[in-house]
Amino acid sequence: MRQPSGNDGTAAVRNVSEARGELHALVRLAEGPNATTTVIDNRGVRALLAPLDRFPAARRPHDNDLPVHSLGSAQKELGDLITAAAQGRPQVLKRHTTPVAVLLSLDASPRPAPSHPVAQDAATAGGAVNSQPTPSREPGRRLATLGDAIGDVLASATVPGLSFGLATLDEATGGLHPGRLVLVAAEPQVGGSLIGLAAARHTALERGGRVLYAASGPNSADITRRIIAAEAGGDYARLKSGTLTPHEQDVVERLRHAPLLIDDGADLTAEAIAETAPLADDLALVVVDRLQRARNPRLPLSGEQLPAASQVLRELAHTQNVPVLAVVDTGDAAVVNLLDADVVLTLTTAADTTLTTVTVTERDLGVIGRASLRPDLARARFLDAAPAAPADRPTPGGGEAVGRDIDRELAAAALPFTSRAVQGLPAEATRLLAALRTALTDSHTKDLDDLREPLRALADAGLRFPDHTEGRRLAAALRPYGTPESTAADITGSAGQATAAGAPVHASADSGQAQEDVAEDEEDGEDGLKPGDEEDEPEGHVFPALKILKDAVGRSKMHPVPVIRKEERDSGPWPLISEHMDGEPRWVHPDATATRVPHIRANGKRVRRDQFEVPDSFGEGMLCLIDRNGSFPSACSAVPLAPNKLLHTGPLDAYDKAGAGIYLIDIPEWNRADMPHPLGRIIDRPDEDGRVWVTTPHIKQLVKLARDNHLAAMPTIHDSWTGKANESLFKPFYEATRKARTELVQVGGAPYKDYKTRLSIALRLLWPKRPSQRSPFWRPDWRMSMVAEASVRHWSVAFRAVQQGHQLLALRNVDAAVFWAPDGTAPATYRIGTGFGEVKAKFVKPGEIIPEGDD
């Protein structure tokens, strides 16, 4: 690549084709300490690829209504972006979630704007933040106003660091942050290298980030075997013989395309690492394993060369804006201090314990935290052992820790907010939760008692929590502190709001779902499960659903991973998955009117039911009510799933039917008024770019609709997490369920009710929401793919009926449809019967109350 100039006030010129191929490198040059600009020419239309300090508003693009593009999408659309920028509309480029450069007009450089609302407020109030001009960069020094610095700090505070792959270590350190050198100091045989390996595995395998693993000591074969052992839970020593179990062979296949680059050259120096790192586009992490205290003439990263090497690595972290994690084989504080790292993790193992203690020290601050890890050296890994503490604060008098389990859970759930890693709580709530954490850590019983009443008031205040993993966990942890009256009122109020809005209700996995006046079972983190549901059914049970489901998964030759480890659930694809990915429709024809009206059952219970009115233009006719049998277990017959973990496969040119998982797509345009959008309620929660995450059943549905010209085009897949697809994982469960239903539906009564109850529990246990709920499964992608498959089948049959000329009035859940039937017959696309995939059809007059299902 030709090197752009810029230090002399000029900028290199690239045509759009050259810039497209070199975009990642050009952006790196715009980020560096001597940041340079590049002019990009698109057939005479020119724009400037510039550093962010040329236009500070680009650091907070969403606050300033600026368009943002990932580097991958910017490469594809570069010509259009150049045109827009040349017309005076700045275009911000981001790497992952972080703005890194901006395209500007050559003719009129936009006036810098404050980089954060705080800066804007200060300027409005007459403060000095924005009253100073941005200092000139002509002398060669990079200066920033306080306003710019505030914007940078507040913007970066919302971006979490990379994970070590160990939750307690993440809690004690705050994770791995760009621009910092982190040193892992441990005597030989304590396992220091395994910390670097854990961070590399998590970044490359779970987040899909590119990792440079510079190995000075272990070779690539050692590293590879350790990764396989740690991921598969296999015997590291046995792997040296080359013997792999079938499960380990599957893990190896999954690891083949991981974005982890290993450099184990014999002449590996810090300078060589610094020269190699910029060549790896979108580098997320550098691991150096290891720096050796004793001098070894064959290893440059050893002995007296270590202080100079650490300075090179610190500069690498700064210039490339990535975390650099280096392992040194000593715990000698004098040696470690010479290496001058930003953060030091010192590993020690006491003679009387099996745990390894990690002491976290930060430059200028001293000890900031500790964590306990359990070494599993036979499998080349560490495991979490105990929650981290903010610092070494012994219990006064040596007594036992104070507080209840609910206190400790609330403090743990509040940590992302009290540490300011996550925003979204009022200041008073944050202060109160921080006080709780301090009282527990310091074992101050009186302080804890004094906090009881304020915490109860906080729980009763009806606080709105952010709708993400951390927010939902905090809401659940605070709920037990509320008064019984307020808790009951809150539940009742939620139910009333849901039904008043016409929200449908899940009744069972067998579905027939009765439209009762209760809230949805899977909203707000609820799953309808209770303690004990995870236990296998007793011998002789009419339908041992959970046993059958576990057996179906256990017999698969793909060696499925039924449980994602707890420490992995807050990263990778898992926080991206929500109940709204089911795609269930919430649709009523625009010419019809649906009203929820009170109704009293024969047993005296007050509920609400739907009531439909249609205009006179529909003519004479009846409402045909369709109730699909066993929608969820039917979907298990061929739902596309990834039995193993999901890997980050990024943007895709097209859907690959060999894979399954989750996909980030644009919402396709749907102009028909006689059918709901094929993505159902998924479209109600787009991200800031107007995109949504969907599971494989909906991707397959969109491919078919585009092929049949019902969509203008298949939407672009901007990001993805996938694994090898399998459609038969749940098929044995489906077969057993179908057979049992055929027999028990005729019996009815208690046996059939028990069958439906256990069927519902088994499928809900695929994704238990509450941390306290034990389950043999934790695979939200399996659960939501299964529900999405049921939604797709429900929508598709209704669509075929509409194509044949039938008038659809409403489509809801995965089983309920209402058609207008002038001739008093159901659409021929439905099969009437009691079996899976078949339906019950009822007919009522317009204005009559829709009866509840009787399945």
Side-chain angles (χ1 to χ4, degrees):
M1 185 192 82
R2 291 178 291 167
Q3 189 77 3
S5 57
N7 295 332
D8 59 356
T10 64
V13 179
R14 295 284 185 274
N15 65 46
V16 71
S17 297
E18 292 174 329
R20 183 176 288 111
E22 302 172 2
L23 187 60
H24 289 273
L26 294 175
V27 168
R28 292 284 187 192
L29 292 169
E31 295 179 273
N34 297 313
T36 59
T37 57
T38 305
V39 175
I40 304 177
D41 183 283
N42 183 23
R43 299 179 181 179
V45 178
R46 292 187 166 197
L48 192 68
L49 178 63
L52 294 177
D53 60 3
R54 290 288 294 269
F55 186 46
R59 296 192 181 98
R60 301 286 294 181
H62 300 299
D63 292 342
N64 295 291
D65 295 324
L66 297 175
V68 186
H69 313 274
S70 67
L71 293 182
S73 63
Q75 282 181 303
K76 299 177 183 178
E77 305 165 5
L78 191 56
D80 294 338
L81 302 189
I82 296 301
T83 300
Q87 294 172 350
R89 303 194 302 274
Q91 307 291 310
V92 181
L93 307 185
K94 67 179 180 179
R95 180 182 296 110
H96 304 303
T97 59
T98 306
V100 290
V102 60
L103 286 165
L104 301 172
S105 168
L106 277 177
D107 300 327
S109 181
R111 180 179 179 180
S115 31
H116 191 273
V118 172
Q120 181 72 53
D121 294 342
T124 305
V129 170
N130 205 34
S131 62
Q132 306 172 30
T134 302
S136 169
R137 298 181 64 253
E138 293 295 328
R141 300 295 299 168
R142 302 192 70 186
L143 306 179
T145 67
L146 179 59
D148 286 345
I150 289 173
D152 286 342
V153 168
L154 293 180
S156 62
T158 62
V159 179
L162 293 176
S163 172
F164 284 92
L166 296 159
T168 52
L169 191 54
D170 289 339
E171 186 175 330
T173 62
L176 289 157
H177 288 270
R180 311 188 87 187
L181 172 62
V182 178
L183 196 67
V184 179
E187 296 293 344
Q189 301 181 4
V190 174
S193 292
L194 300 186
I195 299 294
L197 198 68
R201 283 170 42 221
H202 191 275
T203 301
L205 304 180
E206 300 301 326
R207 292 191 52 156
R210 192 176 301 276
V211 177
L212 172 60
Y213 202 103
S216 174
N219 57 37
S220 61
D222 294 330
I223 295 164
T224 302
R225 281 191 287 264
R226 291 172 185 177
I227 291 175
I228 296 171
E231 284 296 304
D235 187 344
Y236 172 64
R238 175 176 51 76
L239 290 176
K240 291 183 178 180
S241 69
T243 304
L244 297 175
T245 66
H247 173 55
E248 290 162 352
Q249 292 172 2
D250 288 341
V251 171
V252 168
E253 289 303 314
R254 183 167 54 85
L255 298 178
R256 286 191 186 278
H257 302 293
L260 196 154
L261 310 174
I262 301 174
D263 184 348
D264 62 348
D267 57 347
L268 189 63
T269 64
E271 290 77 11
I273 298 169
E275 291 172 1
T276 302
L279 303 179
D281 286 345
D282 291 332
L283 188 65
L285 173 67
V286 176
V287 176
V288 181
D289 184 10
R290 68 185 77 89
L291 310 179
Q292 296 195 178
R293 176 182 181 180
R295 182 178 181 276
N296 185 330
R298 295 184 295 105
L299 297 176
L301 295 178
S302 66
E304 65 276 6
Q305 300 185 58
L306 293 189
S310 70
Q311 292 301 315
V312 174
L313 296 177
R314 279 193 66 203
E315 183 66 14
L316 169 63
H318 177 72
T319 58
Q320 295 301 311
N321 196 36
V322 297
V324 175
L325 189 154
V327 182
V328 61
D329 65 346
T330 180
D332 188 330
V335 175
V336 172
N337 288 339
L338 289 175
L339 304 185
D340 201 24
D342 297 295
V343 178
V344 177
L345 313 181
T346 304
L347 276 62
T348 55
T349 301
D352 59 346
T353 180
T354 60
L355 297 181
T356 297
T357 299
V358 184
T359 303
V360 184
T361 307
E362 187 165 338
R363 179 202 302 273
D364 300 330
L365 297 179
V367 175
I368 63 169
R370 285 186 171 83
S372 294
L373 302 176
R374 180 162 59 86
D376 185 10
L377 302 183
R379 296 172 180 83
R381 63 188 181 184
F382 278 111
L383 302 173
D384 283 309
D392 188 15
R393 299 175 179 174
T395 302
E400 295 184 358
V402 301
R404 303 165 296 175
D405 288 344
I406 62 170
D407 299 326
R408 285 182 282 275
E409 168 58 20
L410 180 59
L415 179 62
F417 297 89
T418 57
S419 68
R420 304 293 182 179
V422 175
Q423 307 294 317
L425 285 187
E428 181 60 24
T430 304
R431 183 201 64 76
L432 184 62
L433 294 169
L436 170 66
R437 185 171 179 81
T438 300
L440 289 171
T441 303
D442 292 344
S443 297
H444 288 167
T445 304
K446 183 179 184 304
D447 290 350
L448 197 59
D449 290 340
D450 291 343
L451 288 170
R452 302 290 185 209
E453 182 60 25
L455 287 172
R456 184 199 61 76
L458 181 64
D460 291 346
L463 194 65
R464 293 179 65 88
F465 294 91
D467 187 19
H468 48 51
T469 301
E470 293 85 359
R472 289 191 289 270
R473 181 185 178 189
L474 181 57
L478 186 60
R479 195 172 296 128
Y481 288 81
T483 60
E485 294 81 5
S486 67
T487 303
D490 180 60
I491 295 173
T492 304
S494 299
Q497 292 171 3
T499 53
V505 183
H506 299 288
S508 77
D510 199 36
S511 201
Q513 296 170 332
Q515 300 289 322
E516 299 184 14
D517 192 15
V518 293
E520 287 190 68
D521 65 345
E522 288 195 350
E523 296 296 337
D524 301 322
E526 297 298 328
D527 54 19
L529 296 169
K530 60 182 184 297
D533 282 346
E534 73 282 355
E535 301 294 338
D536 283 351
E537 297 83 0
E539 290 295 328
H541 192 279
V542 64
F543 185 64
L546 184 57
K547 287 183 180 179
I548 294 170
L549 184 57
K550 290 196 299 184
D551 182 63
V553 172
R555 283 191 292 160
S556 172
K557 295 181 180 179
M558 295 190 71
H559 302 286
V561 179
V563 177
I564 301 300
R565 294 179 298 184
K566 290 184 179 180
E567 60 268 24
E568 299 174 357
R569 297 177 186 178
D570 292 333
S571 61
W574 312 114
L576 303 173
I577 300 173
S578 75
E579 293 85 357
H580 284 72
M581 291 171 72
D582 57 20
E584 292 185 0
R586 306 285 193 264
W587 184 83
V588 175
H589 192 284
D591 294 335
T593 302
T595 307
R596 297 287 283 174
V597 297
H599 174 68
I600 302 177
R601 287 179 175 174
N603 61 7
K605 183 177 181 180
R606 295 178 179 272
V607 295
R608 289 179 180 268
R609 291 285 174 263
D610 279 334
Q611 187 179 66
F612 279 88
E613 298 286 352
V614 297
D616 294 339
S617 60
F618 277 51
E620 295 295 324
M622 302 278 285
L623 300 178
C624 176
L625 315 178
I626 297 294
D627 182 12
R628 298 183 72 230
N629 301 322
S631 296
F632 291 161
S634 291
C636 292
S637 63
V639 55
L641 304 170
N644 302 112
K645 290 184 181 179
L646 303 181
L647 301 181
H648 192 208
T649 42
L652 300 177
D653 293 332
Y655 163 62
D656 179 2
K657 63 182 179 181
I662 62 172
Y663 307 81
L664 180 64
I665 62 171
D666 296 314
I667 297 175
E669 187 174 355
W670 183 255
N671 296 319
R672 299 187 62 137
D674 56 356
M675 277 294 295
H677 195 287
L679 294 182
R681 68 170 179 163
I682 294 176
I683 66 174
D684 295 336
R685 293 194 178 184
D687 67 11
E688 57 194 13
D689 295 320
R691 298 166 179 170
V692 292
W693 284 95
V694 301
T695 54
T696 312
H698 279 108
I699 284 286
K700 294 180 67 176
Q701 179 193 31
L702 296 179
V703 169
K704 184 176 186 302
L705 290 172
R707 185 181 65 236
D708 296 342
N709 297 318
H710 298 301
L711 293 178
M714 176 65 191
T716 300
I717 300 175
H718 297 281
D719 200 1
S720 63
W721 290 80
T722 63
K724 188 176 180 181
N726 177 279
E727 293 191 355
S728 61
L729 184 65
F730 293 163
K731 191 167 185 178
F733 177 78
Y734 159 75
E735 296 287 358
T737 304
R738 181 174 59 84
K739 180 180 179 181
R741 177 189 170 90
T742 301
E743 298 171 354
L744 294 172
V745 74
Q746 303 298 327
V747 176
Y752 184 53
K753 182 178 180 181
D754 290 344
Y755 155 85
K756 290 198 299 179
T757 298
R758 290 310 302 181
L759 171 57
S760 175
I761 288 171
L763 292 179
R764 293 177 191 280
L765 282 170
L766 291 172
W767 188 13
K769 305 296 194 312
R770 292 171 296 164
S772 60
Q773 177 69 59
R774 296 167 52 227
S775 173
F777 302 102
W778 196 88
R779 286 302 297 258
D781 54 325
W782 290 2
R783 168 70 183 178
M784 297 322 301
S785 293
M786 181 269 296
V787 181
E789 177 70 17
S791 296
V792 166
R793 295 184 183 192
H794 181 41
W795 188 95
S796 299
V797 179
F799 187 39
R800 289 199 295 272
V802 170
Q803 288 178 296
Q804 293 181 8
H806 296 277
Q807 181 77 63
L808 181 65
L809 296 183
L811 196 68
R812 292 180 172 174
N813 299 337
V814 296
D815 62 351
V818 181
F819 285 88
W820 182 246
D823 58 358
T825 61
T829 53
Y830 292 95
R831 298 195 314 272
I832 307 299
T834 59
F836 282 168
E838 297 178 333
V839 304
K840 297 175 289 295
K842 297 179 181 179
F843 296 89
V844 300
K845 295 178 181 179
E848 291 185 358
I849 291 176
I850 304 296
E852 60 187 277
D854 59 359
D855 184 33

